[in-house]
Amino acid sequence: MSQISDEDRQALRDGFARYLEAEADEKKLRSAIANDRGYDEAIWQQMAEMGLLGIAIAEDSGGVGGGAIDVALVMEEIGKKLLPVPFLSTCVVAADMISRFGSEAIQQDLLPKIAAGELVISTGGSGDFVPLSDHDLSLSAKSSAADWTLNGQVSFVSHAGNADYHLLGLQEDGVDSAYLVKASDAVSKDRLITNDPAQRLFKLHLSDARAIKLEVLDADGIGQVRMRAIAALAAEQAGAMRAIFEITMDYLRTRYQFGRPIGSFQAIKHMAAELLVEVESATSAALAAAKALDANSPDAAKFVSLAAFTCKDAFRTVSAQAIQMHGGIAYTQEHIAHLYWRRARAGLPLFGSSDAHREQYLKSREAA
């Protein structure tokens, strides 16, 4: 349950939106994509100053005590600007995992640093809390007294390039385990080629890398982490599709053909109307999922599944149609529409395919 009032929530969102409008334009986005870090550190630190990096962290751990709805509103604004910051991996997944399963000492050490923007945590491996699981990973954990060491390789680790810790999951015989590995000489990495230039995925090579094991990973707790991450991703996709829809509508109003705006043509009007329905439906689904989680609704899993496949599919449709409505210019990567399309494609496999979520949703409806 969120500890943030409606008034403060709206103020946080409005302030963040104004800041991004002024400081996160397309030029900044492309510059961030091109640098080694993959995002603008100044924006990341400003998010910390605004309290956004600790939005999902309890007040007694240095955060602001927000809930799923607060995370969703932040993620919507991140999505609108395609902001390539490690918010999902660090401030949603890792923060939640540490809050639920980390020892008191670990929580006191790491959570305030996350909220202050002093710590970036990548996520990878295998398990329900991992955004993009590596089903072919060759990773093993070995205990020695109170210490754990990891050996092997794991791919598709998000934002591992400049991460201070790596949160790696292992799933053996249906049982989840998770380890925090500090960036060190025992961990080397190779950047992977991705369809979305802003998506930073790495392959890690671990050789006797010391690790902290998060204890007692109960199924209900892991399920909550997964659902909250999926709801956050859905909100990001809803924000992104709204942004590219509005960019496209502006183009239709200003691009003239045969002496009139192309947006006045009936066929284009029908396409635009259908896309608006997609955008509004996805936004409603994402917010409904976040509200269900905050209310501890028994139907939360159903709402999350609905938001997952609705937002994945709608973002893919809206971004693809945006390219069609822009014409040939949008087929080039130099046009912003191309970046939205790539982000939509990159998000399809995260936390499971839309088909898998649709199947889960239908099963929950049948069981009701």
Side-chain angles (χ1 to χ4, degrees), residues 34-249:
N35 71 35
D36 291 337
R37 183 176 292 272
Y39 61 92
D40 191 322
E41 177 67 13
I43 292 178
W44 184 247
Q45 292 305 318
Q46 183 61 34
M47 290 177 67
E49 290 184 23
M50 297 175 74
L52 302 178
L53 302 190
I55 197 80
I57 296 174
E59 291 180 284
D60 57 6
S61 295
V64 297
I69 186 64
D70 305 296
V71 171
L73 296 180
V74 173
M75 288 293 281
E76 267 195 62
E77 300 304 324
I78 287 175
K80 287 177 182 178
K81 294 295 185 180
L82 295 181
L83 208 61
V85 292
F87 186 86
L88 182 64
S89 64
T90 301
C91 305
V92 180
V93 175
D96 202 0
M97 288 290 290
I98 293 169
S99 297
R100 292 176 187 275
F101 306 117
S103 66
E104 185 175 348
I106 291 297
Q107 292 182 34
Q108 291 178 351
D109 180 28
L110 300 187
L111 292 178
K113 292 178 181 178
I114 291 175
E118 299 172 2
L119 205 64
V120 170
I121 302 180
S122 68
T123 53
S126 180
D128 287 343
F129 69 89
V130 178
L132 192 57
S133 289
D134 178 8
H135 299 292
D136 297 320
L137 82 167
S138 58
L139 193 63
S140 62
K142 181 174 64 176
S143 64
S144 174
D147 294 329
W148 286 85
T149 55
L150 295 183
N151 286 278
Q153 300 176 350
V154 55
S155 297
F156 313 128
V157 184
S158 62
H159 290 286
N162 64 294
D164 303 285
Y165 281 88
H166 309 292
L167 176 61
L168 303 179
L170 283 174
Q171 197 171 44
E172 300 173 308
D173 300 323
V175 178
D176 284 302
S177 57
Y179 301 85
L180 277 169
V181 180
K182 193 170 186 178
S184 68
D185 292 340
V187 183
S188 60
K189 50 191 176 290
D190 299 317
R191 184 178 170 186
L192 302 176
I193 298 173
T194 57
N195 184 49
D196 178 3
Q199 187 183 39
R200 294 302 174 96
L201 297 179
F202 289 81
K203 182 175 185 178
L204 300 185
H205 308 266
L206 299 95
S207 177
D208 290 329
R210 295 185 62 183
I212 301 168
K213 186 177 183 180
L214 302 184
E215 300 294 344
V216 196
L217 301 190
D218 64 276
D220 288 342
I222 289 293
Q224 282 291 318
V225 174
R226 176 179 173 81
M227 286 194 295
R228 289 176 181 275
I230 292 171
L233 175 63
E236 179 186 16
Q237 292 168 330
M241 76 179 79
R242 183 174 295 279
I244 187 55
F245 174 78
E246 292 175 352
I247 290 170
T248 304
M249 292 306 102

